[in-house]
Amino acid sequence: MSFRAVRLGTQFAFSNCCCTNPPWLSDPIPDSFRVPSRRRRRWRLSLSSTNGVASEKRRDRQLSVFTADELHYVSVPNSDWNLALWRYLPSTRVQRRNHPLLLLSGVATNAIGYDLSPECSFARYMSGNGFDTWVLEVRGAGLSKYVVKKPLNAKSVNHGKNGIFPSGQHFAANLGVSADSDISSAEERTYMVSTSDQFQLPTKLMETFRHLSERLSGFLNEGLLDGGQNSVIASHIKDLSRRLVNIIEEGHQSVPAQFMDLQERFSTTVGDLQQQLDLIVKYDWDFDHYLEEDVPAAVEYIRTHCKPKDGKLHAIGHSMGGILLYSMLSRCCFQGRDSGFASIATLASSLDYTPSKSSLRLLLPLADPAQALNVPVIPIGTILAAAHPLATRPPYVLSWLNTQISAQDMMHPELFEKLVLNNFCTVPSKLLLQLKTVFQRGGLRDRNGTFLYKDHLHKANVPVLALGGDQDLICPPEAVYETAKLITENLITYKILGEPGGPHYAHYDLVGGRLAANQVYPHIIKFLSHHDMA
């Protein structure tokens, strides 16, 4: 049975969301920096069977907010992930810059935060100023895909030329399993049961159980998890195994009397086991995976594609994106190699939060590594979407969550809602646990706890712009300065946005706040332009 879904891409456009001049702002946005509204695009998905309908519908909703000029995919060595790169081509009305620009997002966020609407688009502003702009979605985020290996006789999918999907064309392909699709449960089938089949059922169940056991054994023996995780997972699997054995024994005792009940219970149990295994395998990464695999793969892809004369890129990171850039500089200094960056800018980022009263300590929900073993993933997107009505409607029980993202009156309400409902995703607990080391003495550490990323940052030879917000509760000015002060004085530019009488800047306002195009972006353009020599 086939299913065809057609969706019209929705482009949000709100008048005056970033263009209204407050009392303290005298100069309007220059016309050359305004982004023209884009036409709605038609995207089509063709599904060959009903098994993937639900996940493809969800992916269709994701694609409806895709607004870049091109969508590229880059494979990650030794991984099952294909990372999504949103590309914004440089404007032909201005001089093209010498270096491409990479944008990195915060933890559990996707590319939407850099392009909320035509009038509030960080990415479009940069491309409008001549930068070939790329937004990376790391594994598990946005349109990045978890690729299930196909059997040898499976049909290949046309993914466009060189993995590039021009806007409006790439959606005709069958996109397969997405990063945010549900873990597939045991497939439901209808059987025509004969007498001989009834007595073969226990054997078939045993074969299925043996297959799952072999998969689990291989998974544990590959060293993907440490000893503690193996023991905890093993205890869960033992419980499921006991249930399977009981079911099979009951099947031997009275197969055909209990056939229907046996089949249902077996399917449920196998489904539970399959989901646990797939969840653990799929969401098995931490911060160092981003640092050592995802970002380098994206940088190399962009470098190869754009061919800058000196082989370098500019990079901007918001929140965790900036933490990644700082960590890359430190690692490169320690290893004595070039980072490949012409300059970097960090927005609301730090490697060490200890001097501040950051609310991030409260938002990271895990207290110690043992808890991560019982809670393998944190569905941040789902949690925020569920909390949003309680934060924005009477009696406003969770209204304090709003100021974690944006200061009062700094975002159009509809854009704020779009951000909350579309920009966040699910992440592994082990990622949040590693990030939580920013609250330990010495700041962020590698997964082994032996390498402190602050220790080698003073040797960096790349110009750095460090921006913070005066009312950022997640990464307060004290935290931003704690890392910025480590950079050599002639290479660091440090600034906190916000004034005592307003406006004020919270965590996301530096990227998509109502006044960012007037008060934040010009600082970034000036910095990048100064360091864009060929």
Side-chain angles (χ1 to χ4, degrees):
M1 179 178 179
S2 63
F3 177 85
R4 183 174 296 275
V6 178
R7 176 178 293 273
L8 289 177
T10 303
Q11 178 59 52
F12 289 78
F14 304 101
S15 60
N16 300 324
C17 67
C18 269
C19 304
T20 301
N21 295 327
W24 53 80
L25 192 61
S26 57
D27 297 327
I29 301 176
D31 289 338
S32 59
F33 293 153
R34 295 183 188 273
V35 183
S37 297
R38 284 159 282 174
R39 294 176 298 175
R40 290 186 177 184
R41 299 164 183 159
R42 183 181 299 274
W43 296 319
R44 184 181 301 274
L45 288 177
S46 298
L47 309 181
S48 57
S49 70
T50 56
N51 290 337
V53 168
S55 62
E56 293 290 0
K57 282 184 176 179
R58 277 187 297 275
R59 193 164 184 81
D60 191 23
R61 287 196 296 271
Q62 288 179 308
L63 294 173
S64 71
V65 293
F66 176 79
T67 50
D69 298 315
E70 295 176 356
L71 176 60
H72 294 240
Y73 279 105
V74 53
S75 60
V76 181
N78 305 315
S79 167
D80 292 325
W81 286 96
N82 283 347
L83 309 180
L85 279 167
W86 296 35
R87 187 186 190 187
Y88 298 80
L89 298 172
S91 172
T92 56
R93 294 178 293 179
V94 297
Q95 183 177 356
R96 188 186 183 104
R97 305 290 181 154
N98 294 312
H99 300 93
L101 172 63
L102 171 64
L103 305 183
L104 300 177
S105 305
V107 63
T109 61
N110 54 43
I112 294 172
Y114 280 118
D115 191 15
L116 270 181
S117 80
E119 292 79 17
C120 289
S121 175
F122 187 101
R124 286 287 173 191
Y125 189 102
M126 296 300 152
S127 66
N129 277 270
F131 289 100
D132 192 344
T133 305
W134 303 70
V135 186
L136 171 64
E137 292 185 318
V138 292
R139 64 185 72 189
L143 299 179
S144 289
K145 300 188 297 185
Y146 184 75
V147 182
V148 177
K149 291 181 172 60
K150 298 180 179 180
L152 294 178
N153 61 350
K155 291 184 178 180
S156 62
V157 174
N158 178 14
H159 287 298
K161 185 177 180 181
N162 299 324
I164 305 169
F165 300 98
S167 181
Q169 296 179 14
H170 66 279
F171 304 104
N174 182 345
L175 297 175
V177 178
S178 71
D180 288 335
S181 63
D182 286 346
I183 305 300
S184 59
S185 59
E187 183 180 1
E188 297 180 3
R189 295 185 176 89
T190 301
Y191 291 91
M192 297 297 293
V193 185
S194 66
T195 304
S196 59
D197 289 338
Q198 291 173 352
F199 290 98
Q200 291 174 5
L201 179 63
T203 303
K204 292 179 180 178
L205 297 184
M206 224 15 140
E207 288 175 357
T208 303
F209 179 49
R210 185 182 301 111
H211 171 73
L212 287 172
S213 298
E214 289 173 355
R215 183 184 174 196
L216 172 63
S217 176
F219 172 65
L220 295 178
N221 291 333
E222 284 175 1
L224 297 177
L225 301 172
D226 57 36
Q229 284 179 297
N230 281 350
S231 62
V232 173
I233 294 170
S235 67
H236 290 306
I237 302 305
K238 283 179 182 178
D239 177 63
L240 289 169
S241 299
R242 281 193 294 269
R243 290 162 59 189
L244 281 169
V245 170
N246 291 338
I247 290 172
I248 293 172
E249 287 179 349
E250 291 175 14
H252 274 294
Q253 293 170 5
S254 59
V255 175
Q258 296 183 358
F259 174 77
M260 295 307 295
D261 180 59
L262 175 64
Q263 173 67 25
E264 182 180 353
R265 291 169 59 197
F266 179 77
S267 295
T268 301
T269 304
V270 170
D272 290 344
L273 178 58
Q274 186 76 34
Q275 287 185 27
Q276 288 200 31
L277 290 179
D278 286 346
L279 196 65
I280 294 166
V281 171
K282 184 178 178 182
Y283 287 89
D284 183 42
W285 72 83
D286 53 24
F287 177 85
D288 286 349
H289 283 96
Y290 293 155
L291 179 67
E292 298 166 0
E293 300 178 12
D294 293 19
V295 178
V299 167
E300 184 58 33
Y301 181 90
I302 296 170
R303 181 187 292 119
T304 302
H305 199 81
C306 297
K307 297 180 174 59
K309 290 182 180 179
D310 59 1
K312 294 182 181 295
L313 285 70
H314 295 298
I316 298 175
H318 173 245
S319 194
M320 187 191 72
I323 295 176
L324 280 166
L325 293 176
Y326 279 138
S327 300
M328 288 190 73
L329 288 184
S330 181
R331 269 283 175 86
C332 290
C333 291
F334 174 72
Q335 297 171 353
R337 58 184 177 88
D338 189 270
S339 67
F341 294 122
S343 71
I344 72 168
T346 64
L347 313 178
S349 304
S350 178
L351 294 174
D352 189 345
Y353 284 63
T354 54
S356 70
K357 297 180 180 179
S358 169
S359 61
L360 185 63
R361 190 189 302 269
L362 304 176
L363 297 178
L364 291 177
L366 305 174
D368 58 74
Q371 287 180 276
L373 305 179
N374 295 322
V375 186
V377 299
I378 305 294
I380 293 179
T382 303
I383 293 171
L384 288 178
H388 181 64
L390 300 175
T392 56
R393 300 171 191 169
Y396 304 104
V397 234
L398 297 178
S399 59
W400 60 273
L401 284 174
N402 297 340
T403 53
Q404 302 295 320
I405 299 172
S406 179
Q408 187 174 1
D409 297 328
M410 283 297 280
M411 285 191 71
H412 190 287
E414 292 182 67
L415 285 181
F416 183 83
E417 183 173 82
K418 181 183 179 183
L419 181 75
V420 171
L421 299 183
N422 295 279
N423 190 50
F424 298 91
C425 54
T426 297
V427 293
S429 299
K430 59 166 63 175
L431 166 64
L432 300 185
L433 286 169
Q434 186 176 353
L435 286 174
K436 198 170 184 179
T437 61
V438 297
F439 294 106
Q440 296 180 13
R441 183 178 180 181
L444 183 70
R445 304 160 186 261
D446 67 357
R447 66 170 62 97
N448 298 318
T450 55
F451 186 90
L452 276 65
Y453 286 106
K454 278 179 59 177
D455 286 354
H456 303 277
L457 204 54
H458 66 281
K459 295 181 284 186
N461 59 356
V462 176
V464 175
L465 171 66
L467 299 181
D470 65 329
Q471 288 192 359
D472 190 337
L473 303 178
I474 293 177
C475 187
E478 298 85 359
V480 176
Y481 179 72
E482 185 67 16
T483 299
K485 71 180 184 181
L486 302 175
I487 308 293
T488 307
E489 187 175 352
N490 66 316
L491 292 175
I492 184 68
T493 303
Y494 166 79
K495 185 174 180 61
I496 298 298
L497 279 299
E499 300 294 337
H504 299 291
Y505 285 83
H507 196 62
Y508 177 72
D509 295 327
L510 297 173
V511 175
R514 189 187 296 267
L515 306 175
N518 298 89
Q519 299 187 351
V520 183
Y521 301 172
H523 289 292
I524 299 173
I525 292 295
K526 181 180 178 180
F527 172 80
L528 295 179
S529 300
H530 183 70
H531 298 288
D532 193 51
M533 303 297 293

